[in-house]
């Protein structure tokens, strides 16, 4: 028994033993894991987690709860140093510890960017809809919660985020509305189009510009009609955003309008229109090349004794 305990005291041997687990974790191995410092265990498991069997992961998550490691990690996440917080957030996320939700949300507003990113990654793994409300509230507090991190989690929650985002867009102030618009643009979902199209008529130039850019990011061609109208917006930066968006959507029907924008009085619009036309041209060339490739293959079939043989 003494030899068995000694063989697991080296962290590399512990890692190898865990990676090799295919059934129940051996009593001796479990004992040695329990003897580890909470932070040491967090780092060991975080590095090893992708290699572990599902059954082993489940046993380790149960062990962490039973032996108080989860409580220790939550405390580290609250009061530890930056590197320690990263390790705690990572393993809490890997283990999908639901009760860590509040602590991870708080850590997303940490001063250290590494901690923010680790907490964000953990929340993405959790995919817990309960964080929707605090995340939406966080969009109004950019100094406390980085909007980019908030957006990552909202996007990870999928289309469940769309209805509350649309609701917030309708009642939020301009700065919040712009953040919401930017997030909505990342969804390739037709449900976001009506709201973004309405924003193209907003009295705020910043909102109209953000809406034009977001419509291009959605990849939904149905928004092209509103973007073509936006090419006549009285403000040049909105016209430029609309031109860039039409290019991203590869909207062939807007080609003539984009060509007319090359004579726009605002240089930004001219540049945007030129870039959009270049995208349309590239898309056209790509389609032609694909067509030629298909035509070249027409009339041929595969035979076991000859790679390409003409059809008869």
């Amino acid at each position: 028994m003494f030899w068995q305990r000694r063989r697991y005291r080296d962290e590399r041997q512990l890692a190898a033993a865990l990676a090799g687990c295919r059934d129940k974790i051996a009593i001796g191995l479990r004992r040695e894991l329990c003897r580890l410092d909470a932070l040491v265990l967090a780092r060991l498991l975080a590095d090893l987690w992708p290699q572990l069997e599902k059954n082993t992961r489940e046993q380790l998550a149960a062990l962490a709860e039973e032996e108080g490691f989860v409580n220790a990690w939550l405390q580290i996440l609250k009061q530890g140093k930056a590197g320690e917080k990263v390790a705690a957030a990572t393993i809490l996320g890997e283990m999908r510890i639901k009760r860590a939700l509040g602590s991870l949300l708080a850590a997303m507003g940490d001063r250290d960017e590494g901690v923010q990113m680790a907490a964000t990654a953990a929340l993405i793994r959790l995919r817990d809809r309960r964080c929707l409300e605090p995340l939406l509230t966080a969009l109004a507090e950019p100094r406390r919660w980085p909007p980019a991190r908030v957006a990552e989690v909202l996007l990870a929650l999928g289309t469940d985020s769309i209805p509350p985002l649309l609701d917030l867009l309708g009642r939020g102030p301009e700065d919040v509305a712009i953040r919401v618009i930017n997030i909505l643009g990342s969804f390739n979902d037709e449900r976001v189009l009506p709201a973004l199209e309405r924003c193209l008529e907003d009295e705020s130039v910043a909102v109209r510009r953000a809406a034009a850019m977001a419509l291009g990011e959605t990849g939904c061609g149905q928004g092209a009609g509103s973007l073509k109208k936006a090419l006549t917006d009285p403000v040049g930066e909105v016209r430029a955003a609309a031109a860039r968006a039409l290019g991203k959507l590869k909207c062939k029907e807007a080609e003539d309008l984009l060509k007319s924008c090359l004579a726009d009085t605002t240089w930004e619009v001219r540049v945007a229109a030129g870039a959009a036309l270049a995208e349309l041209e590239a898309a056209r060339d790509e389609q032609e090349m694909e067509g030629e490739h298909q035509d070249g293959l027409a009339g041929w079939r595969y035979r076991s004794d000859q790679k390409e043989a003409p059809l008869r």
Side-chain angles (χ1 to χ4, degrees):
M1 288 294 290
F2 178 75
W3 175 81
Q4 176 118 356
R5 288 197 298 271
R6 292 288 300 174
R7 66 183 282 214
Y8 288 136
R9 286 185 179 175
D10 184 288
E11 286 182 29
R12 289 177 298 177
Q13 292 177 332
L14 280 171
L18 282 172
C21 278
R22 295 295 180 270
D23 196 4
K24 187 175 181 180
I25 297 176
I27 294 175
L29 177 55
R30 180 187 174 96
R31 183 187 303 119
E32 293 303 324
L33 290 172
C34 292
R35 288 176 177 172
L36 292 177
D37 174 79
L39 186 58
V40 172
L41 182 62
R43 288 172 172 157
L44 173 69
L45 295 181
D47 291 340
L48 194 60
W49 204 258
Q51 307 171 39
L52 300 178
E53 295 285 325
K54 180 181 178 181
N55 181 47
T56 305
R57 294 180 182 182
E58 292 173 350
Q59 292 180 69
L60 288 170
L63 180 148
E65 283 284 15
E66 293 166 6
E67 300 298 329
F69 285 112
V70 171
N71 288 335
W73 294 333
L74 291 172
Q75 191 64 25
I76 290 171
L77 192 56
K78 183 178 180 181
Q79 299 180 334
K81 297 179 182 178
E84 297 170 347
K85 290 180 179 180
V86 168
T90 301
I91 194 58
L92 287 167
E94 293 285 15
M95 288 188 171
R96 312 294 203 273
I97 304 297
K98 294 290 187 181
R99 65 187 181 96
L101 182 65
S103 298
L104 290 169
L105 284 167
M108 198 167 63
D110 195 273
R111 293 180 180 180
D112 185 87
E113 186 176 6
V115 177
Q116 294 174 11
M117 294 178 68
T120 300
L123 288 166
I124 288 173
R125 291 189 184 96
L126 288 180
R127 283 182 168 80
D128 193 325
R129 292 188 76 258
R130 292 179 299 164
C131 68
L132 268 174
E133 185 175 344
L135 287 174
L136 293 170
T137 301
L139 289 175
E141 302 179 51
R143 292 184 180 180
R144 179 185 173 192
W145 295 33
R149 305 282 86 83
V150 173
E152 287 180 56
V153 183
L154 287 170
L155 289 171
L157 290 172
T159 54
D160 284 345
S161 298
I162 292 178
L165 280 169
L166 292 174
D167 179 64
L168 181 58
L169 177 61
R171 56 184 172 81
E174 179 184 288
D175 58 336
V176 174
I178 292 172
R179 294 185 199 110
V180 172
I181 287 169
N182 292 336
I183 297 171
L184 289 174
S186 298
F187 287 100
N188 182 236
D189 193 301
E190 295 178 9
R191 286 180 294 171
V192 307
L193 296 183
L196 293 178
E197 289 173 330
R198 285 195 298 272
C199 288
L200 284 176
E201 301 175 359
D202 195 272
E203 62 181 15
S204 165
V205 172
V207 168
R208 297 203 304 275
R209 178 178 180 275
M213 294 175 65
L215 281 166
E217 294 295 336
T218 63
C220 297
Q222 297 91 325
S226 296
L227 286 169
K228 286 190 282 187
K229 293 179 182 178
L231 290 176
T232 62
D233 192 278
V235 179
E237 59 185 291
V238 178
R239 298 197 299 275
R244 287 194 295 270
L246 286 165
K248 288 187 176 183
L249 293 178
K250 307 294 189 295
C251 181
K252 298 177 183 177
E253 295 77 12
E255 187 169 8
D256 289 340
L257 288 173
L258 289 169
K259 286 180 179 179
S260 68
C261 289
L262 294 175
D264 196 279
T265 55
T266 303
W267 70 269
E268 186 180 1
V269 179
R270 298 195 297 272
V271 170
L277 288 167
E279 288 197 59
L280 294 182
E281 184 65 26
R284 186 181 297 112
D285 291 344
E286 185 177 348
Q287 286 182 343
E288 289 177 357
M289 289 179 64
E290 289 179 356
E292 290 175 2
H293 177 69
Q294 294 298 325
D295 290 343
L297 292 178
W300 296 87
R301 68 180 177 188
Y302 176 80
R303 280 193 353 210
S304 59
D305 61 338
Q306 185 176 331
K307 288 188 177 179
E308 291 183 347
L311 291 172
R312 297 178 181 176

